[in-house]
Amino acid sequence: MEKLKYSGRFEAYREELITLRRHFHQYPELGLKEVETSAFIRKYLEQLGYDMIPVAPTGLIASHPSQRGKEKLVVLRAEMDALPIQEKTGLPYASRNDGCMHACGHDAILATALVMAKILAEEGESFPVQVRFLFEPAEEIGEGAKRMLAAGALEKRDLADLAGGTLEKKTGYPMADAFVMFHYAVDQTLGMAVHEGQASAMINGMEIHVHGKSSHWCEASKGIDSIYAASLVVQAFHDINQSYVGKGPCLVGIGTIHGGEYPNIIADHVMLRGNIRACHEEDYLKLKNRIEEKLREIEDETGTEIEMIFPKEPVLAFANDPGLTELAGKVGKRVFGERFILEGEDELFLSGDNAYRYFQQTKGLFSVFLAGFPGENHPLHHPEFCLDEEILPYSLEALYEIIKETASYHSETL
């Protein structure tokens, strides 16, 4: 790996970054159940003198009193929740909570945010902008951002006045000058990537219920086999992915399938859970219509009744603010040199995030820090997912500089 331009200014925090990251990795908790994670964060911030308000059930909004009165407010988001995955890394600091794992890098995000909070507390009034930290629960299940916003997470007013409110309520308060979020990824070795413009995809989860008719297999003609029909649904999804050519990256997929009770009885119900992902809304709508057409064909062929349900509204795509993207590019090149990547529309990725809600209300920036090892790496949400901790001081410096330099940008730019 080529030598990066990391200045070493935060090298003193390397050990703490790693220690914190490994602590969170060992004790992961699922969305809306991050009780111990939240308690740890609260204690850490209390020792630094932070003011905090809770966001039920486990979220926290925090800011340091030394930064009150600053002209600009930058909000930094850190996700707390883990995934229902049994870890198989074999690491000495592997998850101690059965069936739960930080397989998406939230452990590293939390560590970075907490050390950032420590540095800003140490700098006090000398830091040129006010930074508000959002420790968001339940990002993986799309529940966190709306709870944080309902508590006034982006409102430009004193922290003590934030608690309460709803998403529909129009308070009249101005919003934060910038919202900053970041992820860690392992598809490349140490580096940083920022999308120019659109930075996420539109996604939605679905349930498909296939209703047949029960019968003993010795009288198969009296039944309607929902498992067979469900297999045609899976095949249809595969065929759609093979044949549909969209404006941009897109796909449909099945993640779970459940049905049947006994081996000698024709199953009368199968439920499949899956998702639609598309970088462009027109592809999302066309894929949804294509699925509906296929389901009607399978009903006609098998005699089943099939319903497709979307339990939630879709997660919408969001785009990086041009001014923040320009700023991130300047900082990224200073810290990472040639390993900073400015990605265009032809490099869109099919990931989504409930953070689109923040981008709807203020200017935002999403940065990805690349933390893969040389050679093969396991992807996000894999039971052997692991990131290179060498990235931590680099990402800390980049985020610190981006947030600090927002102070020098004119309000019409940011």
Side-chain angles (χ1 to χ4, degrees):
M1 183 192 74
E2 65 184 276
K3 185 175 177 61
L4 301 184
K5 295 184 178 181
Y6 170 54
S7 67
R9 64 182 302 185
F10 294 142
E11 187 62 28
Y13 297 98
R14 176 185 292 270
E15 184 176 344
E16 184 169 9
L17 285 164
I18 293 173
T19 299
L20 286 169
R21 184 252 164 170
R22 293 185 179 186
H23 168 81
F24 290 123
H25 193 87
Q26 282 186 294
Y27 301 102
E29 296 174 295
L30 298 179
L32 305 180
K33 298 178 181 179
E34 310 96 331
V35 176
E36 296 301 322
T37 303
S38 182
F40 183 97
I41 293 168
R42 175 183 285 276
K43 183 177 180 180
Y44 186 97
L45 294 177
E46 283 175 346
Q47 293 173 343
L48 297 173
Y50 273 79
D51 295 329
M52 284 171 279
I53 62 169
V55 179
T58 52
L60 292 169
I61 301 176
S63 66
H64 201 275
S66 65
Q67 294 183 345
R68 286 179 184 154
K70 302 291 183 182
E71 179 183 356
K72 287 189 176 180
L73 171 64
V74 177
V75 175
L76 180 67
R77 195 270 302 257
E79 308 99 298
M80 301 192 298
D81 57 326
L83 291 155
I85 294 173
Q86 184 65 43
E87 182 166 351
K88 297 180 181 180
T89 62
L91 293 167
Y93 54 89
S95 172
R96 296 185 181 183
N97 295 338
D98 192 51
C100 190
M101 178 189 176
H102 274 298
C104 202
H106 291 182
D107 50 352
I109 291 172
L110 289 172
T112 305
L114 286 181
V115 174
M116 176 77 76
K118 185 174 187 176
I119 293 169
L120 298 187
E122 292 169 348
E123 295 194 9
E125 294 181 3
S126 66
F127 196 76
V129 298
Q130 181 184 169
V131 180
R132 179 179 293 164
F133 292 87
L134 307 185
F135 293 94
E136 179 186 308
E139 182 274 328
E140 294 289 356
I141 57 175
E143 289 292 323
K146 63 184 178 182
R147 293 169 185 261
M148 304 302 284
L149 287 166
L154 293 183
E155 293 177 13
K156 205 171 183 180
R157 54 176 174 151
D158 191 73
L159 196 67
D161 298 328
L162 289 186
T166 66
L167 286 174
E168 292 76 25
K169 184 179 178 181
K170 304 299 183 182
T171 65
Y173 288 97
M175 293 292 109
D177 296 282
F179 168 77
V180 176
M181 60 177 280
F182 62 104
H183 282 173
Y184 290 95
V186 297
D187 54 321
Q188 297 184 50
T189 55
L190 298 183
M192 176 182 176
V194 174
H195 267 96
E196 190 171 26
Q198 185 175 334
S200 73
M202 182 176 179
I203 64 174
N204 204 357
M206 71 182 79
E207 295 179 0
I208 296 176
H209 294 266
V210 182
H211 299 281
K213 181 179 178 182
S214 289
S215 177
H216 196 286
W217 273 105
C218 70
E219 296 182 291
S221 61
K222 296 181 179 180
I224 299 176
D225 188 358
S226 63
I227 289 180
Y228 170 68
S231 74
L232 298 180
V233 173
V234 174
Q235 182 64 51
F237 272 54
H238 175 78
D239 293 344
I240 290 171
N241 286 335
Q242 293 293 310
S243 62
Y244 181 80
V245 178
K247 179 180 178 182
C250 56
L251 59 77
V252 295
I254 297 295
T256 69
I257 180 168
H258 300 280
E261 298 291 338
Y262 301 99
N264 60 344
I265 296 177
I266 294 174
D268 64 350
H269 176 243
V270 174
M271 182 174 70
L272 307 93
R273 286 195 176 99
N275 62 110
I276 306 176
R277 295 176 177 266
C279 290
H280 301 286
E281 184 176 6
E282 63 183 84
D283 287 330
Y284 173 90
L285 295 173
K286 288 179 179 178
L287 286 171
K288 182 174 178 288
N289 290 335
R290 188 75 62 89
I291 293 170
E292 291 172 343
E293 292 172 0
K294 289 291 186 179
L295 296 183
R296 300 291 80 79
E297 292 175 6
I298 295 169
E299 282 183 326
D300 293 340
E301 178 181 344
T302 62
T304 56
E305 295 182 1
I306 305 175
E307 56 180 339
M308 181 167 60
I309 299 171
F310 293 90
K312 299 180 180 180
E313 292 297 312
V315 170
L316 303 181
F318 59 81
N320 283 326
D321 173 73
L324 287 171
T325 302
E326 180 184 9
L327 175 55
K330 292 178 180 178
V331 171
K333 290 173 184 176
R334 287 204 307 264
V335 177
F336 290 95
E338 293 182 358
R339 298 197 67 80
F340 172 80
I341 305 168
L342 183 63
E343 297 178 319
E345 187 173 342
D346 59 339
E347 298 171 288
L348 288 173
F349 187 62
L350 288 173
S351 63
D353 196 305
N354 73 168
Y356 78 89
R357 297 178 183 274
Y358 302 112
F359 283 76
Q360 289 178 328
Q361 298 196 25
T362 191
K363 298 174 181 180
L365 174 70
F366 172 41
S367 301
V368 178
F369 296 104
L370 306 169
F373 295 96
E376 184 178 355
N377 289 278
H378 297 286
L380 297 173
H381 295 204
H382 190 282
E384 295 181 65
F385 171 82
C386 187
L387 57 83
D388 186 354
E389 294 171 331
E390 181 69 18
I391 190 67
L392 295 176
Y394 293 91
S395 57
L396 177 63
E397 179 177 355
L399 290 166
Y400 173 91
E401 291 296 329
I402 289 169
I403 294 171
K404 183 177 182 179
E405 293 187 23
T406 59
S408 63
Y409 272 62
H410 299 297
S411 58
E412 61 267 22
T413 305
L414 290 186

